[in-house]
């Protein structure tokens, strides 16, 4: 029996139990790939706060990040911060698939694939946390990505530009620095974590590339990306040092990278 795409996706998006969320998504994604879903593009999208109330929420500037990985606690804290970004990215991909209607089928294929890969990333990191004696939720989190989601909920182009071409690309910039930070750890889990971060980087390049494609697809206003950076200066859409190689693979030009670096200098 066929069921409706957006109705089912809404329930998954706003499911607060992580195990149920992932299990329901797996079934939904199988049904999607098997073409068992129908699309009602007239269905209105709702928005509600989607941060788990059981997690301790702090402003990003109040979250202290370890400079060195010289203890199991500091290592767990770094892994937790990445796991939270990956979990937020799951909801971002689900929300894009749910919120924006009447788009080519490839759009929904792309963002459900992203959600599926982000779930895999989260599971890898959460497993590492368990091995260290911690779990997701043991440290404070911020809702910067959730705020960006809400800020761009009414415009596909801005969502793709700010979130998937902006904040997700910032993750490309951060990845080498996290890997370098892990080098200071002597914990036996270090090698596994470096492999995990390598998987995440390769997948995130593809995710940012999807954001790049759909940003360009929806860019009827012909925004320059620097204009997006100016319009949304409450978010920093680039790291302190750009990962030029990864960004170019993800759709940025060399000139664009130079302009972004200069803008945030």
């Amino acid at each position: 029996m066929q069921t409706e795409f957006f109705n089912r996706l809404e329930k998954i998006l706003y499911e607060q139990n992580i195990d149920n969320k992932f299990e329901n998504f797996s079934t939904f994604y199988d049904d999607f790939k098997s073409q068992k879903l129908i699309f009602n593009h007239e269905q209105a999208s709702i928005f509600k706060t989607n941060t788990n109330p059981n997690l301790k929420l702090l402003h990003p500037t109040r979250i202290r990040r370890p400079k060195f990985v010289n203890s199991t606690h500091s290592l767990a804290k770094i892994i937790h911060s990445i796991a939270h970004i990956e979990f937020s990215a799951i909801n971002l991909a689900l929300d894009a698939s749910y919120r924006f209607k009447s788009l080519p089928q490839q759009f929904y294929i792309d963002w459900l694939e992203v959600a599926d890969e982000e779930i895999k990333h989260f599971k890898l990191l959460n497993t590492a946390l368990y091995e260290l004696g911690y779990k997701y939720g043991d440290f404070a989190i911020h809702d910067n990505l959730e705020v960006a989601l809400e800020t761009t909920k009414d415009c596909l182009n801005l969502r793709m530009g700010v979130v998937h071409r902006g904040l997700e690309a910032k993750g490309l910039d951060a990845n080498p620095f996290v890997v370098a930070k892990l080098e200071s750890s002597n914990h036996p889990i270090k090698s596994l974590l470096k492999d995990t971060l390598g998987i995440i980087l390769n997948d995130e390049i593809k995710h940012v590339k999807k954001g790049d494609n759909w940003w360009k697809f929806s860019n009827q206003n012909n925004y320059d990306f620097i204009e997006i950076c100016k319009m949304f200066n409450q978010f920093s859409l680039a790291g302190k040092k750009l990962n030029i190689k990864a960004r170019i693979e993800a759709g940025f030009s060399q000139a664009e990278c130079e302009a972004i670096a200069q803008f945030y200098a």
Side-chain angles (χ1 to χ4, degrees):
M1 183 181 73
Q2 288 186 316
T3 53
E4 205 283 317
F5 177 90
F6 297 109
N7 184 53
R8 281 182 63 182
L9 192 51
E10 180 181 298
K11 292 180 174 65
I12 296 166
L13 172 62
Y14 290 115
E15 173 61 61
Q16 293 296 318
N17 181 287
I18 292 178
D19 291 336
N20 290 346
K21 188 185 193 82
F22 292 172
E23 183 178 348
N24 292 342
F25 175 79
S26 179
T27 303
F28 168 83
Y29 194 36
D30 285 343
D31 287 348
F32 173 78
K33 290 184 289 186
S34 301
Q35 299 182 330
K36 294 179 180 178
L37 302 173
I38 57 174
F39 286 74
N40 175 16
H41 289 282
E42 301 304 314
Q43 179 176 316
S45 300
I46 65 167
F47 176 83
K48 55 185 178 181
T49 301
N50 204 18
T51 303
N52 191 311
N54 296 320
L55 299 177
K56 183 180 180 182
L57 186 64
L58 292 177
H59 189 274
T61 58
R62 293 188 59 202
I63 295 178
R64 300 179 65 181
R65 295 168 178 82
K67 292 183 178 180
F68 304 101
V69 190
N70 51 12
S71 68
T72 300
H73 180 83
S74 60
L75 182 58
K77 197 168 187 178
I78 289 172
I79 297 171
H80 189 278
S81 67
I82 303 169
H84 176 60
I85 291 170
E86 296 302 313
F87 188 79
S88 299
I90 295 166
N91 281 338
L92 288 168
L94 292 175
D95 190 87
S97 306
Y98 162 71
R99 191 161 306 284
F100 300 107
K101 309 291 199 300
S102 302
L103 290 166
Q105 187 71 1
Q106 188 62 45
F107 179 85
Y108 306 102
I109 293 171
D110 280 353
W111 293 109
L112 292 181
E113 181 180 59
V114 170
D116 186 55
E117 290 177 348
E118 300 289 15
I119 288 171
K120 291 173 183 174
H121 298 168
F122 177 83
K123 287 181 174 179
L124 287 170
L125 293 163
N126 207 30
T127 297
L129 279 175
Y130 273 112
E131 290 190 23
L132 295 175
Y134 294 84
K135 65 183 185 301
Y136 182 58
D138 281 349
F139 299 97
I141 60 152
H142 64 78
D143 63 350
N144 202 41
L145 290 172
E146 176 77 12
V147 171
L149 182 154
E150 181 176 5
T151 303
T152 59
K153 65 182 174 61
D154 297 321
C155 179
L156 172 64
N157 182 244
L158 295 180
R159 169 65 63 82
M160 293 295 120
V162 173
V163 172
H164 298 293
R165 201 178 192 262
L167 293 171
E168 282 209 73
K170 188 176 180 180
L172 304 182
D173 301 333
N175 189 286
F177 290 95
V178 178
V179 172
K181 188 177 287 189
L182 286 176
E183 290 294 349
S184 65
S185 172
N186 294 319
H187 199 285
I189 204 174
K190 178 173 78 172
S191 178
L192 175 63
L193 286 175
K194 288 173 67 176
D195 289 344
T196 298
L197 289 174
I199 292 169
I200 290 174
L201 177 62
N202 289 332
D203 285 346
E204 295 298 342
I205 289 171
K206 294 185 297 180
H207 300 174
V208 175
K209 180 64 177 175
K210 288 179 170 65
D212 177 72
N213 289 339
W214 291 107
W215 179 66
K216 290 170 180 172
F217 169 86
S218 59
N219 195 16
Q220 286 88 1
N221 291 320
N222 293 315
Y223 286 127
D224 179 274
F225 189 69
I226 297 299
E227 291 180 77
I228 300 290
C229 296
K230 291 176 181 176
M231 289 166 60
F232 293 88
N233 60 5
Q234 69 268 45
F235 305 110
S236 175
L237 303 185
K240 292 181 180 179
K241 183 177 180 181
L242 270 60
N243 187 341
I244 303 292
K245 180 178 181 296
R247 280 178 173 267
I248 288 176
E249 287 183 52
F252 290 82
S253 68
Q254 179 71 37
E256 196 174 22
C257 289
E258 291 171 2
I260 293 168
Q262 184 176 0
F263 178 79
Y264 286 111

